[in-house]
Amino acid sequence: MKILITGGAGFIGANFCEYELAHHPEDTYLCVDALTYAGNLASLEKVLSLPNFTFVRGDIADRAFINDLFAREKPDIVANFAAESHVDRSVTDPEVFLRTNIIGTQVLMDACRQYGVGRFHQVSTDEVYGDLPLDRPDLFFTEQTPLHTSSPYSASKASADLLVLAYARTFKLPVSITRCSNNYGPYHFPEKLIPLMITRALADQSLPVYGKGENVRDWLYVEDHCSAIDLVMRKGRAGEVYNVGGHNERANIDVVKAILRELDKPETLITFVTDRPGHDMRYAIDPSKINAELGWLPTTRFEDGIRHTVQWYLDNRKWWENILAGEYQHYYTAMYGNR
Ligand code: NAD
Ligand code: DAU
């Protein structure tokens, strides 16, 4: 089979490319990525030279490029990871989120229709469900939870999900969607909570925790997300949504303290800063559908995953120091300067 992976030079996409090539070496992979600020060919180093892996630079919202690519390559499965993914950036500059996350998804699905692709898999997020209150630990997101978005990012992802389901019903496009909770692990771009805190703590810099640090996220080690997507795109029922998460809820402040313990750094580095506008309070996934239908369960405990992640950042300084030395160095001042 030929599998087209979009956004494969990003955090989850790069982990997914490694996962697929290790678990299904009999297949052929084509990775398409625009290499925005978040895309990094260094994250694909382990797979780039393999004979059954090809990288093509391109924009999923560029219809001529995508049509030409599909006409030439005729993929059997398309897994769409490409997106603008950072909530804070969607607050300061929403437009590119709409273009990539919504129009890009539509352009890909039109090409899937035209070239008879067997499965279009959309990598979505639990953020489409909005948030849950802190005082109702009994509540979880199920696939029936109504969509109720908070940020331009989550609104763009929910819009894409609606389009995907509309293409399934109207055009009978064989689609699937996974909605996953927060991932962490290798190749995570250092603008996101966990890698930001690791890289700043290593430099003895202040750690900006939004609000009181009470917000809760349901953390999933990235390889567990990859195994879920692999199962759903190959064996999941067409037209279905599957929630992915591992009952690993942690308040942000506890995540930051766990990182400091791993690095043997003092909690005095923590600085509470002005909250994110519209900040979702709690995410918590009920993964019983994917467990019952496909037997999926996460395998990495948070304590092991965070230790492994911290070690990865210690062992791969060049990877993130190159990012911090580039264009990204202006981002921190722009985003946090007046907080
Ligand atoms: P990321 O920002 O690290 O990577 C996104 C990748 O998409 C980058 O390589 C970027 O260059 C590429 N890209 C952006 N615009 C593009 C375009 N127009 N055409 C082609 N490529 C483009 O994101 P991530 O954290 O790896 O997330 C991947 C997917 O998973 C996203 O769809 C995101 O919504 C979803 N998701 C992320 C998480 C998480 O915790 N990170 C959780 C659930 C779902
Ligand atoms: O739930 C899945 C989502 O998880 C994905 O769809 C998104 O693409 C991904 O970025 C992530 O969104 P979050 O907004 O939850 O992740 P982020 O790492 O930006 O923030 C995690 C929590 O930490 C959130 O409550 C905000 C807080 N935070 C974040 C940053 C960057 C801070 O307190 N300080 C910070 O500097």
Side-chain angles (χ1 to χ4, degrees):
M1 272 200 305
K2 185 178 280 187
I3 300 174
L4 171 58
I5 299 170
T6 72
F11 162 46
I12 306 173
N15 280 283
F16 187 71
C17 289
E18 277 187 21
Y19 183 94
E20 285 299 296
L21 280 144
H23 290 83
H24 302 282
E26 68 284 4
D27 289 330
T28 304
Y29 299 91
L30 181 65
C31 171
V32 170
D33 196 297
L35 297 180
T36 67
Y37 80 93
N40 190 347
L41 277 183
S43 307
L44 289 170
E45 229 167 51
K46 286 191 185 159
V47 295
L48 265 179
S49 58
L50 296 177
N52 54 342
F53 183 86
T54 309
F55 178 84
V56 181
R57 186 174 190 175
D59 177 355
I60 60 163
D62 178 344
R63 195 175 284 279
F65 162 75
I66 288 295
N67 284 347
D68 188 51
L69 186 82
F70 275 62
R72 232 182 22 248
E73 299 288 348
K74 302 200 173 46
D76 300 293
I77 297 180
V78 174
N80 183 28
F81 292 78
E84 288 295 331
S85 69
H86 193 34
V87 173
D88 291 328
R89 288 184 191 254
S90 82
V91 175
T92 53
D93 182 15
E95 193 156 322
V96 66
F97 285 73
L98 309 194
R99 182 178 182 278
T100 292
N101 300 359
I102 306 173
I103 303 296
T105 302
Q106 184 221 357
V107 166
L108 286 171
M109 289 194 298
D110 283 343
C112 287
R113 284 182 63 205
Q114 190 174 344
Y115 293 99
V117 170
R119 174 61 60 97
F120 176 79
H121 181 75
Q122 176 73 354
V123 181
S124 186
T125 169
D126 59 359
E127 297 203 13
V128 300
Y129 298 123
D131 62 353
L132 297 164
L134 285 184
D135 61 357
R136 290 292 307 274
D138 55 314
L139 294 181
F140 296 91
F141 297 136
T142 73
E143 290 79 1
Q144 278 71 49
T145 302
L147 304 190
H148 186 79
T149 56
S150 312
S151 69
Y153 163 71
S154 56
S156 70
K157 293 295 289 185
S159 306
D161 281 14
L162 290 174
L163 266 180
V164 172
L165 296 173
Y167 270 55
R169 178 160 171 163
T170 304
F171 304 119
K172 307 282 176 278
L173 187 70
V175 304
S176 46
I177 297 177
T178 40
R179 293 183 179 146
C180 188
S181 58
N182 286 63
N183 285 211
Y184 67 103
Y187 308 121
H188 205 178
F189 195 84
E191 66 186 351
K192 306 285 171 61
L193 180 76
I194 289 182
L196 182 82
M197 298 300 164
I198 296 173
T199 53
R200 288 185 65 82
L202 279 171
D204 296 311
Q205 291 169 325
S206 64
L207 308 183
V209 172
Y210 296 165
K212 296 183 188 150
E214 292 174 317
N215 305 62
V216 168
R217 296 293 182 265
D218 186 356
W219 293 97
L220 184 74
Y221 193 62
V222 62
E223 196 177 334
D224 283 323
H225 187 191
C226 293
S227 69
I229 295 169
D230 177 67
L231 271 175
V232 171
M233 78 176 192
R234 291 170 187 271
K235 298 187 182 145
R237 285 186 293 139
E240 292 292 317
V241 175
Y242 295 87
N243 282 355
V244 182
H247 289 302
N248 236 316
E249 291 178 57
R250 296 278 188 292
N252 292 340
I253 189 69
D254 296 330
V255 171
V256 176
K257 286 181 180 172
I259 292 168
L260 288 171
R261 275 197 301 279
E262 285 300 324
L263 291 171
D264 201 20
K265 295 283 184 181
E267 290 186 7
T268 48
L269 288 177
I270 294 171
T271 316
F272 293 96
V273 300
T274 310
D275 212 347
R276 169 186 283 174
H279 197 174
D280 281 337
M281 203 37 106
R282 170 177 167 248
Y283 302 146
I285 283 274
D286 174 357
S288 34
K289 178 174 173 182
I290 187 169
N291 176 245
E293 284 191 22
L294 297 166
W296 178 87
L297 275 179
T299 57
T300 306
R301 292 180 331 131
F302 184 75
E303 291 68 24
D304 299 329
I306 200 74
R307 191 167 308 125
H308 186 247
T309 303
V310 166
Q311 193 58 49
W312 189 88
Y313 281 84
L314 287 168
D315 295 342
N316 292 275
R317 275 181 172 272
K318 212 173 122 217
W319 181 89
W320 55 268
E321 282 176 353
N322 281 345
I323 293 171
L324 298 188
E327 184 196 326
Y328 176 74
Q329 60 184 298
H330 306 296
Y331 168 84
Y332 194 84
T333 321
M335 190 62 84
Y336 294 86
N338 296 320
R339 259 188 145 122

